[in-house]
Amino acid sequence: MTSADPLSLRDRVLGAAYTCVTRYGLVKTTIEDVVKESGVSRASIYRQFPGGRDELLHATVAWELARYFTELADAVRDAPDLAHLLEDGLVFARRSVREHEVLQKILETEPERLLLLLTTEAAKTLPFIAAFLHPYLDREAEAGRLRPGVDPDHAADYLARGILSLIGEAGRWDFAEPSQVREVVREELLGGIIAS
Amino acid sequence: MTPAPRDRILDATLTCVARVGLGKTTLDDVAREAGLARATLYRYFPGKQPLISALVAREAARLGADLLEATAACRTLEDAVVELVTTAVASLEAHAALQYVLLVEPEVLLPYLAFRRADDFLREASALVAPALEAFLPSDRVARAAEWLVRVVQSYACSPTAEVDLNDPVSVRVLVTEFVLPGLVPSNMLGVTS
């Protein structure tokens, strides 16, 4: 591995930018901070992120989101079926959103800025969740458990939307209460997808 | 007959927000637009915050009334949900002040749409929708169904997809019958409401 490897260089810069954001916040983090933290030159950072600071911050939020959802995917991969996968995933996701220190800190101090970034990035999160769910839907289809006429692509998109909404806002649901998690998963989310 | 001063002031505020946004609208602008003296305006609204709060409350109540009216003639839950979704989307899209804010100063609204204050938004929006569902669902399912519908509309409105067009009643009906309705009522209850 060499430091010229563009992938690892990019990851190094993003990791450093993330550290800076945790330390200084989104508004105050500068390219200079990231240069110091990463040991990567200003010129190299601009080669990776020609849009400069704004592009780097967008990419940093996207990077952390991807890391978050990868962790989530790893946590639920072994669930026996789609319903259990969604139940485990929602419980894990709600807990980790609440415990995500940086997220909470930024929400406290600069919510508007973070939310603008999250909104643009959420559009990319939906296909990510849908793609993750797809093989589980295929398995339900093979087992003959899908309701007649359900298109797995459409079902994956609908589930991704419901999940993202529930991760963002608990609303009436208490995710510490297993019977409630079961209910929202088996009725609201899967009612139209899995045959009863 | 001219509207009461309070409504005249709120109408003027809507016009100002649609023209220059929430951030730049001043009480002076509103007074001028309403054709009222600044002092008169202050008697009704002692500052920008109470003025905007009153405006949001009135516009929300109007939307709630529109939704109720739109579903009044519906015979089935399916028809009511399709009407609810298309009416809500059409009203929000035709709302010039809201559209200006969404387009030019979304940072004002975003905190209401995600995380902490989003739970308040969800609760209030659900409360607005719920009355229109009361005739079509058992009372213990109404609030729950209303919240789910708000989530669904919010998701497709914020992250559109080619598959679903919230402005098109046919497209909405497909989404509603395929995925939404079976989640709102246990399957053995579907079709028995009228």
Side-chain angles (χ1 to χ4, degrees), chain A residues 104 108 112 115-116 118-119 126 154-155 158 161 165-166 169-173 183 187-188 191-193 196, chain B residues 107 110-111 113-116 118-119 122 141 144 147-148 151-152 155-156 159 161 163 178-180 182-183 187:
Chain A
Q104 294 305 337
E108 202 78 56
E112 293 81 6
L115 290 173
L116 267 182
L118 277 178
T119 320
L126 280 177
H154 294 177
Y158 186 74
R161 290 170 184 276
S165 172
L166 290 165
E169 299 99 53
R172 63 188 289 106
W173 303 102
E183 215 179 300
E187 295 188 27
E188 270 82 350
I193 293 167
S196 50
Chain B
E107 67 282 358
L110 275 175
L113 296 178
F115 296 105
R116 222 153 277 178
D119 272 322
L122 198 56
R141 305 286 304 200
R144 184 173 158 182
E147 187 192 288
W148 191 254
R151 289 180 187 274
V152 168
S155 175
Y156 286 98
S159 317
T161 162
E163 319 294 334
E178 193 172 18
F179 293 126
V180 181
S187 48

Side-chain angles (χ1 to χ4, degrees), chain B residues 151-182:
Chain B
R151 289 180 187 274
V152 168
V153 170
Q154 198 184 339
S155 175
Y156 286 98
C158 295
S159 317
T161 162
E163 319 294 334
V164 176
D165 178 358
L166 289 185
N167 292 302
D168 172 10
V170 177
S171 173
V172 170
R173 191 172 293 273
V174 171
L175 174 73
V176 164
T177 50
E178 193 172 18
F179 293 126
V180 181
L181 275 196

Side-chain angles (χ1 to χ4, degrees), chain A residues 76 78-86 136 139-140 145 186:
Chain A
V76 298
D78 296 329
D81 59 27
L82 185 59
H84 286 96
L85 176 95
L86 297 178
Y136 294 89
R139 256 162 52 187
E140 298 291 335
R145 286 196 294 259
R186 287 169 202 251

Side-chain angles (χ1 to χ4, degrees), chain B residues 79-92:
Chain B
D79 288 347
V81 171
V82 172
E83 272 301 323
L84 261 179
V85 172
T86 49
T87 305
V89 170
S91 303
L92 297 177

Side-chain angles (χ1 to χ4, degrees), chain A residues 149-163:
Chain A
V150 167
D151 173 341
D153 283 335
H154 294 177
D157 178 66
Y158 186 74
L159 287 178
R161 290 170 184 276
I163 291 164

